[in-house]
Amino acid sequence: MGNRSIVLLALVLVALAALAVPGESQSPIKIGVIEPLSGPVAASGNYVRMGAEIARDWLNAKGGIGGRKVDLLIEDNKSDPKEAASAAEKLIVRDKVPAIMGAWGSSMTLAAMPKLEEYGVPMVVETSSAASITKRGNPWIFRISPPSEMEALGLEQYVDKLGVKRVDFLAVNTDWGRGSITAFGDMLKKKGAAVGVAEYMEQSATDMNAQLTKIKATGGDTLFLTTAVEQITLVMKQAQEQRLTRKVVTTGGSSSPTQLIKQAGAAAEGSYHIVFFMPWFPDAMPDGKLAKAFVDEWAKRGHPFEGLTEGFRGHDGIATIAEAIRVAGKDDPKAVREALWNVSLMGVNGPIKFEKDGPAGKESGQSKPSIFVVQIRDGKVALPDFLAKK
Amino acid sequence: MTRAGGFFLAVGALTLPLWLQSPYHVHVAIMAGIFGVLAMSLNLLLGYTGQLSLGHAAFFGIGAYTSALLTLKLDWSFWPALAAAMALAGAAGLFIGRLALKLRGAYFVLVTISFAGVVSLVSVNWIELTNGPLGLPGVPAPELGPWSLRTKTAYYYLVLAAVALSYVVCRRLVRSRIGRALVALRENEPLAESVGVDATHYLVLATVVSAAMAGLGGSLYAHYTRFVSPEVFLFTYTVTMVIMVVAGGKGTLAGPLVGAVLFTALPEALRAAASWQWQMLAYGLLLILLVFFLPRGIVPRLAAAFPGRR
Amino acid sequence: MAELLQHLLNGLVLGGTYALLGIGLTLIFGLMNVVNFAHGEFYTLGAYVSFAALALAGIDFFAALLVAIVAGAALGWLCEVTLLRPLRNESIDTTMLVMIGVWIAMQNAELLGWGGVAKSIPHPFPTAPLVFGPVAIAPVRLFALVLAAGLIAASWLTIQKTKLGRAMRATFQDRDTAALMGVGIGRIHAATFAFGSGLAAAAGALLGPIFLVYPSMGDLASLKAFSVVILGGLGNLPGATLGGLLLGIAEELGAGYISSGYRDAVGFVIIILVLLFRPSGLLARQERIA
């Protein structure tokens, strides 16, 4: 036992020594970014990262914030809540970042939240859709993405024009998919539509034929689909094989219609998509010039066009944090948090301004992002037929 | 050497928070301790009975969820919740142990994988109980009398106590008659049975203790991270435990602990040393190299290099 | 009734691919006793090689399939010779651990090289489904099913009838005697691993055009493959085939009639039940050889 315990001790010291490298000391302003850069949703996480990098470079081209360069410290949460929490801890304690953007998936964000409260560092949530994130009474959370309820409200005005009478749902079996079904189901019932079946698919599932066969049997007129673009592609192709003919509406903003057209082809024809950025019509966005500039810069860097519908989130998140740091006048976490309540800026999606959400005294910040609907017609992305001015 | 080494180790462990640079390091130490308990539990099965449980994350997850749910929804205090977590995980171990009674080797592996798969799916789909994919946020911190064990340092000592307890239990078990019977079973089952060793009885016992210990790890995890979601059943957790046990040295007492410390610190060190694109690739390559040069694990190789007692 | 038939057809196609993965692994796990966690990665490799050949080099679909198989077999051969051979005398856990390392390294290398965005493999088949009465199937799936069946049959024949197959069976039944009889043990081990890996790559190249190609596609494939192997009995090719088909159909029916959320659970429960009543697998005989 003795020899081994000395060895054990030595190994512990060696391992911990590797962590002893001190964090860099500061002239640049550091902003933490936690995204899923590996694992099943690596594509989305990387798009957000690319958008964030564009924001950083634009900031630095204009001289940074208060004359200081902006540095992004990018961490991979590997789609694992434990890693998201560890990454947050490392960014806050070792790297001393004044603010973080993250963490894409709702459970990743929820796992990192206790760390934010423990150390008092704000986080801008750019993608997560779970309602609970801003309702838990965590005053360090500021979300610029819409919770599912807000999204459903955004669609409400079009429900009659869409002609939705009997609805079925097919969603990925995660907090996002389930939350979406609840939110849209409630909204549609209020509008008088009948809700049929709600089917689920595992995140990594590739064969949805069983679910589609069941859906086909209900005789409904609309299918609401909530999942990532890869699964949407598969669902559409398999729906075509099963000769399922009904309206399809995808929610969540992750449907990347361009990629769908490329990979699902005719199977995607006629489908509607809720998106939060319309890179095909940048002039129709609240700040047309900014949107166009973003699309052009993205193309200049050789990033795939289909990533724009998610990449803009990275840009808007970093822009929000940068603005807060500018308003605060210093990169101190508590000052940044105060400043976040006072920022009002224009992102690629539209105006960003935080309102109080959650229990009194411990409110989180929630912005009201713009919500758009597009349709795939004649193999191209277009404004929906019920909106087209003919 | 023995006494001195053990003494230094104990002193080092007890005073660790004092000479660690930052709370982040204490965080890593806490995670290493939790995984140490998990690795030791897996080692009981893998190292001593020779049965590979590839569903060990199931016991970990059951412990985490039980503890979290009892404290969140029924307002139990931490300590009875911990006991319940261990009991429930142990009961699952009993179920698996008896189920896999007739099976050995690959078949036992598959049953454990399938069990973990089913439990994982239940945690995702039984929304009313587990809140499904949204998980259980806000798991309360443990309390010891009037003190809340919320701070990192306090939690470190809690985990350290659990590690020490688990180590002692393993050691006692392994050195007892039960342990010898298990090793006999692992080495040559027909022979062992012929001299009266009841294979089923001992295997089930080992599985129950192993599962209960993993449940302990799960409860500790739940109350430290304060968030439990179905991801605790992810296969990668089981794989991580396997890596720790086999690379550390299965069938030894110190092996899993060494493995736990090394493979908790390694990804964090890689986070500091390499940009995100290379971290996991480096991890995989390092693992291959480690196995290549130390095929029996770290501890056995070092024990051979420094022959001491036994 | 139409619904049931459609479910059965879907299940058959799914099962065919599980079977293909299963027979590759049953050779490696069943015969060589290597817990090959990287099996799914050879599946992924096959898909990426096929993508590269088709989309980048522009060669035709069938040639791309061949290239994928060769690539899988070659990398498998390399793994066996460089990593497994030196560790042959170590315990099964050691070889398992090294294959875990290979799994992590391969998947992250693919992520690094290709990025996380899913790729779509172009294929020459028409997209309109073929309709047979109440059921429909896409031509590319039918093709995959037929080719999978062909590969399975070819594997059976190789193991049973050829010299290589005989040598493989001899080696794994009784290594020392086989060596005495002049069989090159090292070459047989390498050939077996290459064979199994090539089959996994074939499955990837066949399924790639039907689904999409992304770095983590192999994880689920590995898990299903292990289930199929054990279900069918270690080292048992017909068993793995039958197991694969059964698992595919069971999953499809379970998802269709019980619940799509618990779809995979149905597979697991069936596995547990089968093992309870037939512990050595569906078609097991006494010995563990194909």
Side-chain angles (χ1 to χ4, degrees):
Chain A
M1 162 65 186
N3 306 295
R4 288 192 211 154
S5 52
I6 296 260
V7 165
L8 220 176
L9 193 58
L11 277 162
V12 170
L13 288 175
V14 166
L16 291 175
L19 299 172
V21 177
E24 279 301 317
S25 78
Q26 17 275 339
S27 188
I29 292 185
K30 295 179 291 195
I31 301 179
V33 175
I34 304 177
E35 295 292 324
L37 300 170
S38 60
V41 291
S44 303
N46 276 290
Y47 290 146
V48 173
R49 170 187 62 83
M50 295 173 195
E53 285 166 351
I54 291 181
R56 170 200 62 198
D57 294 338
W58 278 353
L59 280 166
N60 286 336
K62 292 197 226 137
I65 307 175
R68 292 165 66 187
K69 224 171 68 95
V70 173
D71 230 353
L72 290 182
L73 298 181
I74 301 175
E75 292 294 334
D76 180 7
N77 67 32
K78 302 173 186 133
S79 300
D80 182 349
K82 163 169 81 71
E83 293 296 319
S86 282
E89 179 114 27
K90 178 236 177 206
L91 285 169
I92 293 173
V93 178
R94 263 197 84 231
D95 302 312
K96 305 202 184 354
V97 299
I100 302 177
M101 174 178 78
W104 204 85
S106 297
S107 23
M108 264 60 80
T109 303
L110 285 166
M113 277 165 64
K115 302 283 180 193
L116 303 174
E117 253 189 302
E118 184 180 345
Y119 293 107
V121 175
M123 183 159 92
V124 169
V125 177
E126 86 298 344
T127 308
S128 306
S129 63
S132 55
I133 289 174
T134 43
K135 303 249 191 268
R136 288 207 54 81
N138 186 324
W140 300 92
I141 284 286
F142 293 83
R143 174 158 57 178
I144 59 174
S145 52
S148 301
E149 290 74 18
M150 216 179 255
E151 221 194 305
L153 278 175
L155 187 68
E156 198 174 4
Q157 51 182 315
Y158 302 123
V159 170
D160 296 323
K161 293 219 186 85
L162 271 170
V164 178
K165 295 274 181 322
R166 302 183 45 160
V167 158
D168 300 298
F169 290 96
L170 176 58
V172 64
N173 198 1
T174 63
D175 48 85
W176 169 43
R178 286 183 177 265
S180 193
I181 291 183
T182 313
F184 280 91
D186 289 343
M187 184 274 287
L188 287 164
K189 276 190 228 154
K190 259 191 4 208
K191 297 285 288 185
V195 173
V197 300
E199 290 295 315
Y200 297 98
M201 41 197 168
E202 292 307 310
Q203 201 170 44
S204 50
T206 49
D207 197 297
M208 274 64 78
N209 281 300
Q211 292 93 319
L212 287 167
T213 305
K214 264 208 230 162
I215 288 170
K216 189 166 167 188
T218 66
D221 57 60
T222 315
L223 173 63
F224 270 68
L225 189 51
T226 306
T227 183
V229 60
E230 290 84 12
Q231 261 187 335
I232 296 181
T233 305
L234 295 171
V235 168
M236 287 186 155
K237 282 166 88 166
Q238 288 162 20
Q240 185 185 49
E241 286 164 20
Q242 290 209 28
R243 292 163 300 151
L244 189 77
T245 52
R246 61 183 72 180
K247 267 195 302 286
V248 174
V249 178
T250 72
T251 78
S254 299
S255 54
S256 186
T258 308
Q259 190 171 338
L260 267 184
I261 294 173
K262 251 201 235 171
Q263 293 178 340
E269 185 66 22
S271 52
Y272 298 90
H273 306 274
I274 297 179
V275 294
F276 310 124
F277 177 36
M278 296 189 294
W280 320 272
F281 324 114
D283 305 305
M285 298 296 295
D287 184 342
K289 238 180 68 175
L290 175 61
K292 185 100 181 53
F294 186 70
V295 174
D296 291 339
E297 180 66 25
W298 185 273
K300 217 168 72 169
R301 295 179 179 219
H303 296 326
F305 186 88
E306 42 265 34
L308 277 163
T309 44
E310 289 195 81
F312 80 92
R313 302 193 213 251
H315 170 276
D316 284 0
I318 298 300
T320 306
I321 294 177
E323 178 64 8
I325 296 177
R326 193 189 66 79
V327 165
K330 49 183 166 156
D331 57 344
D332 163 71
K334 292 164 191 48
V336 172
R337 187 184 81 96
E338 288 307 311
L340 278 166
W341 285 112
N342 297 323
V343 298
S344 175
L345 69 147
M346 195 54 117
V348 171
N349 162 271
I352 297 174
K353 185 157 169 55
F354 294 105
E355 283 165 20
K356 298 198 174 203
D357 195 2
K362 305 189 282 176
E363 292 91 347
S364 312
Q366 175 74 56
S367 177
K368 280 191 84 165
S370 319
I371 294 171
F372 311 96
V373 182
V374 295
Q375 189 183 19
I376 295 179
R377 268 186 299 156
D378 303 322
K380 288 205 293 280
V381 181
L383 289 172
D385 39 21
F386 54 78
L387 281 185
K389 307 171 181 73
K390 273 271 159 51
Chain B
M1 211 36 170
T2 313
R3 288 272 156 77
F7 176 70
F8 279 122
L9 188 67
V11 169
L14 281 168
T15 58
L16 199 71
L18 298 176
W19 46 274
L20 276 182
Q21 268 201 5
S22 78
Y24 170 59
H25 294 153
V26 182
H27 161 78
V28 176
I30 291 174
M31 293 303 284
I34 293 176
F35 273 91
V37 171
L38 291 173
M40 281 193 281
S41 80
L42 181 64
N43 188 33
L44 272 180
L45 275 182
L46 180 57
Y48 289 101
T49 69
Q51 298 296 320
L52 174 61
S53 160
L54 278 186
H56 224 64
F59 305 127
F60 166 63
I62 288 175
Y65 264 101
T66 306
S67 200
L69 283 169
L70 287 173
T71 50
L72 266 179
K73 303 227 169 136
L74 295 181
D75 271 331
W76 280 30
S77 146
F78 169 72
W79 303 96
L82 173 65
M86 290 176 68
L88 212 64
L94 182 65
F95 174 67
I96 289 298
R98 297 203 70 92
L99 193 72
L101 215 61
K102 320 176 187 176
L103 311 171
R104 294 284 190 275
Y107 308 99
F108 181 77
V109 174
L110 189 56
V111 169
T112 56
I113 292 180
S114 305
F115 177 66
V118 172
V119 177
S120 168
L121 286 166
V122 168
S123 78
V124 170
N125 288 294
W126 194 355
I127 311 279
E128 298 80 21
L129 179 69
T130 65
N131 214 19
L134 235 79
L136 300 167
V139 179
E143 306 194 7
L144 183 62
W147 305 293
S148 166
L149 296 179
R150 212 184 165 91
T151 67
K152 279 221 173 38
T153 314
Y155 212 88
Y156 168 77
Y157 286 112
L158 175 65
V159 170
L160 187 64
V163 168
L165 181 70
S166 307
Y167 183 84
V168 164
V169 167
C170 283
R171 186 172 150 140
R172 279 275 164 84
L173 196 65
V174 161
R175 294 203 179 162
S176 71
R177 215 167 46 106
I178 302 171
R180 285 197 290 277
L182 288 176
V183 173
L185 280 173
R186 181 187 75 196
E187 295 305 320
N188 192 334
E189 190 168 319
L191 184 60
E193 296 228 305
S194 73
V195 296
V197 174
D198 184 353
T200 53
H201 177 73
Y202 286 116
L203 281 177
V204 172
L205 183 65
T207 313
V208 172
V209 175
S210 168
M213 200 178 285
L216 168 65
S219 177
L220 288 172
Y221 173 85
H223 291 273
Y224 175 61
T225 58
R226 315 257 289 285
F227 175 71
V228 180
S229 66
E231 277 91 354
V232 294
F233 294 109
L234 277 177
F235 193 56
T236 54
Y237 280 82
T238 301
V239 172
T240 304
M241 288 184 233
V242 169
I243 292 176
M244 289 171 177
V245 171
V246 181
K250 68 172 178 159
T252 67
L253 285 167
L257 276 176
V258 171
V261 170
L262 182 61
F263 285 93
T264 304
L266 185 62
E268 297 297 326
L270 284 172
R271 217 196 275 282
S275 79
W276 57 270
Q277 297 104 315
W278 297 96
Q279 282 170 27
M280 287 312 283
L281 179 58
Y283 182 88
L285 291 172
L286 283 171
L287 181 59
I288 295 176
L289 282 174
L290 184 75
V291 178
F292 211 71
F293 289 109
L294 301 174
R296 298 237 168 92
I298 298 173
V299 168
R301 166 70 132 219
L302 290 168
F306 304 105
R309 278 197 320 164
R310 211 177 341 122
Chain C
M1 185 58 183
E3 211 181 311
L4 176 65
L5 283 176
Q6 185 69 57
H7 279 307
L8 281 175
L9 184 59
N10 297 339
L12 203 63
V13 177
L14 196 64
T17 59
Y18 287 164
L20 201 56
L21 280 167
I23 58 175
L25 189 61
T26 208
L27 289 173
I28 293 175
F29 182 28
L31 296 188
M32 295 175 66
N33 217 22
V34 172
V35 185
N36 185 13
F37 275 115
H39 197 67
E41 292 310 309
F42 287 95
Y43 166 79
T44 310
L45 178 78
Y48 270 114
V49 168
S50 171
F51 168 75
L54 277 169
L56 304 179
I59 69 182
D60 88 70
F61 189 71
F62 304 90
L65 178 63
L66 267 164
V67 171
I69 295 179
V70 168
L75 190 64
W77 183 87
L78 188 69
C79 271
E80 204 284 328
V81 165
T82 55
L83 293 175
L84 292 172
R85 188 171 303 182
L87 297 174
R88 194 169 302 142
N89 291 320
E90 300 299 336
S91 76
I92 185 174
D93 304 302
T94 307
T95 50
M96 173 176 72
L97 199 62
V98 88
M99 293 319 288
I100 289 178
V102 171
W103 171 29
I104 295 174
M106 272 178 86
Q107 188 169 133
N108 284 282
E110 262 144 15
L111 187 60
L112 194 62
W114 295 102
V117 187
K119 311 257 185 267
S120 164
I121 301 185
H123 63 80
F125 299 96
T127 44
L130 298 166
V131 182
F132 303 106
V135 298
I137 184 173
V140 64
R141 281 178 181 245
L142 192 58
F143 172 77
L145 181 60
V146 167
L147 225 66
L151 281 168
I152 292 172
S155 307
W156 285 21
L157 284 171
T158 310
I159 300 290
Q160 292 298 123
K161 302 282 182 212
T162 67
K163 208 166 89 149
L164 173 65
R166 272 200 294 276
M168 278 164 67
R169 280 183 290 138
T171 308
F172 296 116
Q173 189 168 11
D174 188 333
R175 189 162 91 177
D176 299 319
T177 308
L180 283 174
M181 303 283 285
V183 174
I185 304 297
R187 281 217 315 273
I188 294 299
H189 275 258
T192 309
F193 202 88
F195 197 101
S197 305
L199 282 174
L206 282 177
L207 288 187
I210 296 177
F211 301 128
L212 292 169
V213 184
Y214 49 96
S216 51
M217 64 192 278
D219 292 349
L220 203 59
S222 269
L223 201 60
K224 298 277 155 91
F226 273 108
S227 309
V228 167
V229 166
I230 297 176
L231 205 54
L234 294 167
N236 191 319
L237 256 72
T241 311
L242 187 60
L245 290 171
L246 270 175
L247 188 64
I249 292 177
E251 275 188 8
E252 191 55 34
L253 290 176
Y257 292 110
I258 301 179
S259 149
S260 48
Y262 283 106
R263 172 206 194 106
D264 289 332
V266 173
F268 288 131
V269 169
I270 295 205
I271 287 169
I272 294 180
L273 287 174
V274 167
L275 287 180
L276 276 179
F277 295 111
R278 287 197 64 97
S280 310
L282 288 167
L283 294 183
R285 299 160 232 154
Q286 285 299 62
E287 329 102 79
R288 288 181 341 154
I289 316 125

